[in-house]
C-alpha cells in the first residue's frame, strides 16, 4: 500500500517536473527558431495600427467580408485587394507568419493576390 | 432687386438638386470609397430576343472573361453563368430563335429557400447571391432552380491567360452562378454581358432599376409585351424577355 503510494507521488513529481521543463524551455523543436520576419510593407499607414492588425487582421478580414458580401457595403480602401498594394507578396508577407504558426487560410484558393 | 420668398426657395431647390445629383454622377466616374446596396432598388433585366443572333456569343464570352468562369471542355461539368438556349417550336421544327438564359434573380428564389447554410441569400437590392465563404457544395440549390442557372465547381478551375483580378476565382466544391456582376453594379456600372451586347451586338439587353418608374427598363417594360420564363411557377423572375 505505502510503496504504491510513494510510487504515485514519485510519478506525479516527475510529471510536474517534465511539465515545468516544457513550460520554461519550450519544445526542443522551437528552441532557436527565429520569429517570423514578414516583409516590410510599401506605402504609408496600415488600415489600422500595425500592432492591432497583428492580433486582429483575421477577424477584421472576416468581418469585412460579411459586410461586403452579404450587406453589400464596400469599403474600397480596406478591401482584401487593397492590402496587396502595400503588402505586395503573399509568400513574403502573409505566409511567413502563417507557416510559422501553421495556419493555412484558404482565402487564396479564390482571391487573387500577388505571389 | 430683392429676392422674394419664392426665388429663394427656388435657389434652394437648385442647390439641393445639385447635392442629390452630384454623388450619383461621381459614382459613375470613380466609385466612392464606401458604397452600400440600397433596399430601394430592384435590379432587373429585359432581353429583346428579336435582336439576339443565334450565332452570337458576345454576352457569354464577356461573362467568362469578366467573372473568371473557366471552360473545362467537359459538357457535363462545364460552368455557365449565362448560356445561349435555342427555341424550338412545339411541332419540333428547326430552332428559329436563340436567347441567353442566366440567373433570374427571382423575388421568391427556391435556391435560397433550400440552402441549408444560408450561403444563398437575397441581397437588399434583390440580387440573389452565393456567399462563397459559406457554401458547402451540397447542390440542393441546383436541384431547386428551375432555370438551371447554377453550376458546381467540380475541379480546381484554371483560367487561360490572366484572370480578372477584381473577381475572386471559386474553389473546387462550391456552387456558383450569375451575380448580375455585383462588383460592377456597386461601382455604378452595368453587367458585362449587357455591355458586350451593346458594344459588339445589337444591344438587345437592358439592365436597370425596376423600382424606379423613370428608369429605361421600367419604361420599356410598360411599353412592350414581355414575359418571363415559366411565370406559372410564381417565382417572379427579374429577367424579362421580349419576343418569345
Amino acid at each position: 500500500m505505502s510503496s504504491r503510494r510513494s510510487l504515485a507521488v514519485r510519478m506525479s513529481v516527475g510529471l510536474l517536473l517534465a511539465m515545468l521543463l516544457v513550460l520554461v524551455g519550450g519544445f526542443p523543436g522551437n528552441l532557436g527558431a527565429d520569429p517570423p520576419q514578414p516583409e516590410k510593407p510599401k506605402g504609408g499607414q496600415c488600415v489600422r495600427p500595425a500592432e492591432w492588425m497583428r492580433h486582429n487582421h483575421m477577424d477584421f478580414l472576416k468581418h469585412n467580408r460579411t459586410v461586403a458580401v452579404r450587406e453589400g457595403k464596400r469599403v474600397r480602401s480596406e478591401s482584401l485587394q487593397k492590402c496587396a498594394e502595400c503588402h505586395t507578396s503573399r509568400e513574403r508577407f502573409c505566409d511567413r507568419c502563417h507557416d510559422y504558426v501553421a495556419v493555412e487560410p484558404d482565402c487564396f484558393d479564390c482571391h487573387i493576390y500577388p505571389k | 432687386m430683392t429676392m422674394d420668398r419664392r426665388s429663394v426657395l427656388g435657389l434652394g431647390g437648385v442647390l439641393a438638386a445639385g447635392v442629390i445629383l452630384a454623388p450619383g454622377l461621381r459614382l459613375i466616374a470613380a466609385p466612392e470609397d464606401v458604397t452600400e446596396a440600397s433596399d430601394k432598388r430592384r435590379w432587373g433585366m429585359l432581353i429583346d430576343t428579336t435582336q439576339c443572333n443565334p450565332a452570337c456569343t458576345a454576352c457569354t464570352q464577356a461573362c467568362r472573361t469578366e467573372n473568371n468562369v473557366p471552360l473545362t471542355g467537359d459538357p457535363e461539368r462545364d460552368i455557365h453563368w449565362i448560356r445561349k438556349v435555342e427555341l424550338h417550336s412545339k411541332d419540333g421544327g428547326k430552332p428559329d430563335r436563340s436567347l441567353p438564359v442566366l440567373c433570374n434573380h427571382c423575388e421568391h428564389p427556391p435556391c435560397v429557400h433550400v440552402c441549408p447554410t444560408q450561403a444563398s441569400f437575397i441581397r437588399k437590392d434583390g440580387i440573389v447571391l452565393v456567399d462563397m465563404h459559406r457554401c458547402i457544395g451540397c447542390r440542393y440549390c441546383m436541384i431547386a432552380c428551375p432555370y438551371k442557372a447554377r453550376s458546381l465547381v467540380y475541379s480546381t478551375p484554371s483560367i487561360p491567360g490572366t484572370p480578372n483580378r477584381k473577381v475572386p476565382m471559386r474553389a473546387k466544391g462550391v456552387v456558383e452562378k450569375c451575380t448580375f456582376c455585383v462588383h460592377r453594379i456597386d461601382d455604378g456600372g452595368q453587367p458585362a454581358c449587357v455591355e458586350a451586347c451593346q458594344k459588339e451586338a445589337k444591344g438587345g439587353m437592358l439592365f436597370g432599376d425596376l423600382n424606379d418608374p423613370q428608369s429605361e427598363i421600367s419604361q420599356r417594360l410598360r411599353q412592350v409585351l414581355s414575359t418571363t420564363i415559366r411565370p406559372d411557377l410564381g417565382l417572379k423572375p427579374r429577367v424579362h424577355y421580349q419576343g418569345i
Side-chain angles (χ1 to χ4, degrees):
Chain A
M1 191 65 196
S2 75
S3 78
R4 237 203 243 164
R5 191 189 284 154
S6 68
L7 181 69
V9 167
R10 258 185 284 152
M11 270 174 72
S12 25
V13 167
L15 232 130
L16 261 171
L17 267 173
M19 277 160 73
L20 240 148
L21 258 174
V22 168
L23 270 177
V24 172
F27 287 105
N30 257 2
L31 283 176
D34 293 327
Q37 300 286 334
E39 191 179 57
K40 285 277 165 226
K42 277 189 193 146
Q45 298 267 303
C46 197
V47 290
R48 296 286 182 280
E51 173 68 23
W52 189 88
M53 279 307 266
R54 204 168 294 146
H55 293 290
N56 298 310
H57 64 277
M58 34 334 245
D59 297 334
F60 177 83
L61 287 170
K62 286 181 183 173
H63 175 78
N64 274 8
R65 84 178 178 192
T66 307
V67 171
V69 174
R70 300 190 79 90
E71 291 161 31
K73 182 176 173 188
R74 292 182 191 263
V75 184
R76 288 170 180 75
S77 56
E78 296 181 355
S79 76
L80 188 52
Q81 287 168 42
K82 205 71 184 181
C83 316
E85 285 179 16
C86 301
H87 306 295
T88 52
S89 162
R90 187 173 104 199
E91 276 165 7
R92 293 191 304 276
F93 186 72
C94 316
D95 289 356
R96 285 225 178 127
C97 290
H98 294 167
D99 289 348
Y100 184 79
V101 291
V103 286
E104 249 181 283
D106 65 353
C107 320
F108 305 121
D109 289 355
C110 300
H111 288 275
I112 301 162
Y113 200 98
K115 266 221 147 88
Chain B
M1 201 198 94
T2 54
M3 269 188 162
D4 59 14
R5 233 170 83 105
R6 190 183 270 168
S7 54
V8 171
L9 282 177
L11 186 66
V14 168
L15 284 178
V19 169
I20 293 163
L21 270 179
L25 289 177
R26 234 180 297 138
L27 251 180
I28 294 165
E32 286 168 74
D33 187 35
V34 183
T35 56
E36 195 162 356
S38 161
D39 55 6
K40 305 260 180 330
R41 290 203 162 115
R42 284 297 173 277
W43 299 112
M45 204 180 268
L46 174 61
I47 296 171
D48 183 354
T49 60
T50 61
Q51 303 298 308
C52 189
N53 176 351
C56 175
T57 56
C59 57
T60 56
Q61 283 307 325
C63 176
R64 285 191 187 280
T65 353
E66 176 69 23
N67 293 302
N68 299 325
V69 183
L71 262 177
T72 62
D74 176 353
E76 298 266 300
R77 296 183 167 188
D78 258 340
I79 298 163
H80 304 280
W81 287 22
I82 178 170
R83 64 191 198 279
K84 293 292 290 288
V85 168
E86 287 178 337
L87 277 194
H88 296 253
S89 55
K90 284 218 171 95
D91 54 30
K94 273 199 179 158
D96 62 343
R97 213 155 323 144
S98 139
L99 49 103
V101 174
L102 61 156
C103 172
N104 279 254
H105 297 274
C106 308
E107 192 178 326
H108 307 296
C111 51
V112 171
H113 193 77
V114 300
C115 178
T117 63
Q118 292 176 14
S120 285
F121 67 102
I122 313 175
R123 209 170 77 146
K124 274 188 268 184
D125 49 6
I127 303 179
V128 176
L129 289 175
V130 185
D131 183 344
M132 296 301 167
H133 311 103
R134 293 184 79 117
C135 178
I136 56 168
C138 75
R139 291 170 270 176
Y140 283 15
C141 56
M142 289 174 65
I143 297 162
C145 174
Y147 304 107
K148 281 199 193 172
R150 293 174 166 245
S151 317
L152 177 79
V153 183
Y154 272 98
S155 50
T156 303
S158 69
I159 295 286
T162 40
N164 177 7
R165 282 202 48 209
K166 292 209 160 150
V167 181
M169 312 272 306
R170 278 73 48 190
K172 177 175 164 180
V174 297
V175 169
E176 61 178 59
K177 68 165 193 75
C178 158
T179 64
F180 264 172
C181 283
V182 64
H183 57 290
R184 286 169 148 248
I185 299 174
D186 287 352
D187 284 359
Q190 298 262 311
C193 54
V194 174
E195 200 177 282
C197 188
Q198 273 156 12
K199 281 193 186 142
E200 298 161 36
K202 293 194 199 155
M205 297 173 92
L206 184 60
F207 178 85
D209 182 5
L210 301 174
N211 262 6
D212 173 7
Q214 300 309 315
S215 68
E216 200 185 339
I217 185 167
S218 296
Q219 295 187 20
R220 277 265 288 280
L221 278 169
R222 285 197 296 272
Q223 288 156 9
V224 302
L225 198 63
S226 68
T227 183
T228 57
I229 309 181
R230 293 295 304 271
D232 55 312
L233 296 173
L235 308 175
K236 301 223 172 129
R238 295 212 180 85
V239 176
H240 299 260
Y241 291 89
Q242 177 186 346
I244 54 170

